[in-house]
Amino acid sequence: MTSTHAFWLAGRQATGDATFDVTSPWDGRVVGTVSVPTDAQVEEAVAAAHAVVDEFAATPAHVRAAALDHVSRRLVERTEEIAQLISAENGKPIKWARGEVGRAVSVFRFAAEEARRFNGGEAQRLDTDPGGQGRLALTRRFPKGVVLGIAPFNFPLNLCAHKIAPAIAVGAPIILKPAPATPLSGLIIGELLAETELPAGSWSVLPVLNESMPALVQDERLPVISFTGSDKVGYAIQASVPHKHCTLELGGNGAAVVLADWSSDEDLDWAATRIATFSNGQGGQSCISVQRVIADAPVYDRLVPRIVAAVEAMATGDPSDEATDVGPLVSEDAAKRVESWVDEAVNAGAILLTGGKRDGATYAPTVLADLPADTTLAREEVFGPVLSIQRVDGADEAFAEVNNSRFGLQTGVFTHNLQTAFRAHRALEVGGVIVGDVPSYRADQMPYGGVKQSGVGREGVKYAMDDYTYERVLVLTGLAL
């Protein structure tokens, strides 16, 4: 499986002077060797993207939509190959990797659909006051310029898709930087884009190393930055370029609230299964993974053993095995960090209900109760297969606990009460409230993003398209309206 992978510079394949190996977090084998662009090649890609800004913005919608449709179809055709690649470089269980390919298929299809109807314009009569008689305003959206997309390792295909597809849909050139740990999936998108008729220079996929990023971030020819990753890095980027438009999709410590009316055996079995699945899916390496369970006192004692049993039923092991639910974390260092946080919590008084063991890069699915509020695990995003369970008295206390966090990405609220659902929507300081399910639910066409230190701006194809563009008004004068 080992091979050397070229990168994509202004729509064509290229190689640089240096390479790095991509290794499997499961067994350490080399999955692929990736060529690194030189500084001169990065400059060439930026210059090409900047030069084509006007041309790409003027590209007919059907051309952009056809390219996006092509990528979507080709992803379907190569699903198994790409899923195997994701699993190999990321450690994601193969069944989850196939799901990721399916989501990327949808992202490109949604973008093609939006490209066809985007920017039809909104007409507004201005003769509502005497000074506007005979005047009509037409408002349309135009690209802000070249997009610098910086993608993370945890969804190495789909989160690259969420950067690239909306940019192409609006006619904004894009330079994509995939994560160094998992660049191969992003380079696959480059292969598929190279089969289209998009203008040369309108896209590049550059696996530059992280230490080379400050120069790209500072480049004035890249006025839009779309970053997904840690809050520390995201806010450092924003602080370094306050005049640029930054969309930041950062961390979370997602809470699942189970209220007293969610009380039948069927209800609690469903909640426990969903919590177990989505605290451990992707190895817990998702910004909206279930990290906290906040259970109302009347259901707490019946819910906890169900969660523990469901977590213990999760199969860990080789990510290429169809039966595996939980694979390794992205690296052994990541697993060691999770181990240290859990050990700190237990030493501080948390009760370990299951798990708590590390084997190389794999960390066993873990459940804790009575987690002290001053522990790292209580305050930060664990990004691993660990959840804590907390007892509360009623919705007021539950919602206060959700908001007792510097993060605010998404929350799941298990309730049958419609009034409570709307109350949660008003009260919870998050970007999304998922009723009857875990916070981990995400549809790729819906607005997705957070508040507080979970970021600014929104992903989701249409919403990212809005982020990449601005409104420009045209006033027509002397019309008989």
Side-chain angles (χ1 to χ4, degrees):
M1 193 171 185
T2 302
S3 59
T4 299
H5 297 260
F7 52 85
W8 295 92
L9 195 167
R12 72 178 193 279
Q13 279 192 309
T15 56
D17 298 333
T19 62
F20 66 89
D21 289 336
V22 178
T23 59
S24 164
W26 169 246
D27 57 16
R29 76 185 188 279
V30 175
V31 178
T33 300
V34 175
S35 184
V36 180
T38 65
D39 290 346
Q41 288 170 320
V42 172
E43 166 58 29
E44 183 181 349
V46 173
H50 183 67
V52 80
V53 164
D54 291 340
E55 176 190 350
F56 196 31
T59 303
H62 71 87
V63 173
R64 288 178 273 116
L68 293 161
D69 273 331
H70 174 83
V71 174
S72 183
R73 288 192 302 269
R74 292 285 284 137
L75 286 170
V76 172
E77 294 168 1
R78 297 177 63 177
T79 291
E80 188 61 25
E81 170 202 350
I82 298 171
Q84 295 286 348
L85 185 65
I86 292 171
S87 184
E89 69 171 343
N90 173 274
K92 183 172 298 191
I94 186 63
K95 58 188 175 184
W96 289 94
R98 292 190 189 107
E100 181 173 348
V101 179
R103 289 181 61 187
V105 168
S106 296
V107 168
F108 279 97
R109 187 182 75 249
F110 295 150
E113 294 165 357
E114 292 292 346
R116 291 185 174 97
R117 58 177 168 254
F118 179 72
N119 211 19
E122 178 183 348
Q124 180 182 20
R125 294 181 67 134
L126 301 180
D127 62 354
T128 51
D129 284 318
Q133 187 166 333
R135 297 180 188 268
L136 182 77
L138 179 66
T139 303
R140 297 169 61 202
R141 301 191 71 90
F142 293 86
K144 294 174 179 173
V146 184
V147 177
L148 172 60
I150 307 172
F153 71 82
N154 56 331
F155 290 86
L157 181 75
N158 194 42
L159 292 183
C160 288
H162 270 287
K163 309 301 182 190
I164 290 176
I168 292 173
V170 302
I174 180 164
I175 293 174
L176 176 77
K177 177 205 174 294
T182 57
L184 303 178
S185 302
L187 293 172
I188 286 282
I189 296 178
E191 287 184 37
L192 307 185
L193 287 172
E195 299 169 355
T196 71
E197 301 299 322
L198 293 176
S202 60
W203 60 274
S204 293
V205 182
L206 303 179
V208 298
L209 302 179
N210 288 340
E211 51 265 33
S212 300
M213 283 308 297
L216 268 176
V217 167
Q218 294 290 335
D219 197 304
E220 295 296 330
R221 295 166 294 179
L222 308 175
V224 179
I225 297 174
S226 178
F227 171 85
T228 302
S230 73
D231 58 304
K232 179 180 179 181
V233 175
Y235 286 120
I237 288 173
Q238 185 184 55
S240 71
V241 285
H243 57 292
K244 290 192 178 190
H245 178 90
C246 293
T247 297
L248 305 176
E249 199 281 282
L250 308 177
N253 56 0
V257 175
V258 185
L259 294 176
D261 68 296
W262 197 270
S263 59
S264 71
D265 288 340
E266 183 181 6
D267 283 344
L268 295 176
D269 288 343
W270 162 259
T273 298
R274 297 294 283 177
I275 287 166
T277 299
F278 288 96
S279 66
N280 296 292
Q282 329 291 333
Q285 296 169 119
S286 168
C287 297
I288 43 177
S289 175
V290 182
Q291 184 171 332
R292 298 183 288 159
V293 177
I294 300 170
D296 210 343
V299 297
Y300 181 91
D301 289 334
R302 295 168 58 212
L303 177 65
V304 171
R306 285 174 161 88
I307 291 175
V308 172
V311 168
E312 289 178 342
M314 304 291 289
T316 61
D318 185 344
S320 67
D321 188 332
E322 299 285 348
T324 296
D325 299 307
V326 186
L329 274 67
V330 71
S331 68
E332 186 169 357
D333 283 346
K336 287 179 177 178
R337 177 191 55 77
V338 172
E339 179 182 44
S340 71
W341 288 15
V342 173
D343 289 349
E344 176 205 19
V346 172
N347 290 335
I351 299 171
L352 181 66
L353 300 179
T354 191
K357 302 293 185 182
R358 180 180 66 83
D359 181 8
T362 300
Y363 196 79
T366 296
V367 182
L368 300 163
D370 299 337
L371 180 66
D374 59 350
T375 58
T376 306
L377 195 58
R379 300 190 312 269
E380 302 297 332
E381 178 182 37
V382 65
F383 229 59
V386 179
L387 66 86
S388 64
I389 308 177
Q390 177 181 2
R391 185 197 302 261
V392 295
D393 290 314
D396 286 347
E397 187 176 342
F399 293 170
E401 284 300 322
V402 172
N403 291 341
N404 183 24
S405 171
R406 66 188 184 90
F407 296 110
L409 196 46
Q410 292 195 161
T411 298
V413 180
F414 289 87
T415 181
H416 295 291
N417 189 306
L418 188 60
Q419 292 288 356
T420 302
F422 276 95
R423 178 180 166 198
H425 199 201
R426 292 192 304 271
L428 296 178
E429 298 165 355
V430 293
V433 178
I434 314 300
V435 175
D437 207 348
V438 290
S440 317
Y441 177 79
R442 178 182 179 183
D444 290 288
Q445 72 271 36
M446 78 184 202
Y448 174 76
V451 297
K452 298 194 283 191
Q453 293 187 45
S454 286
V456 294
R458 291 294 180 268
E459 288 191 341
V461 175
K462 176 182 179 295
Y463 303 91
M465 291 167 67
D466 287 343
D467 252 5
Y468 292 171
T469 56
Y470 68 97
E471 293 176 320
R472 185 188 299 165
V473 65
L474 173 71
V475 177
L476 301 174
T477 304
L479 302 178
L481 298 175

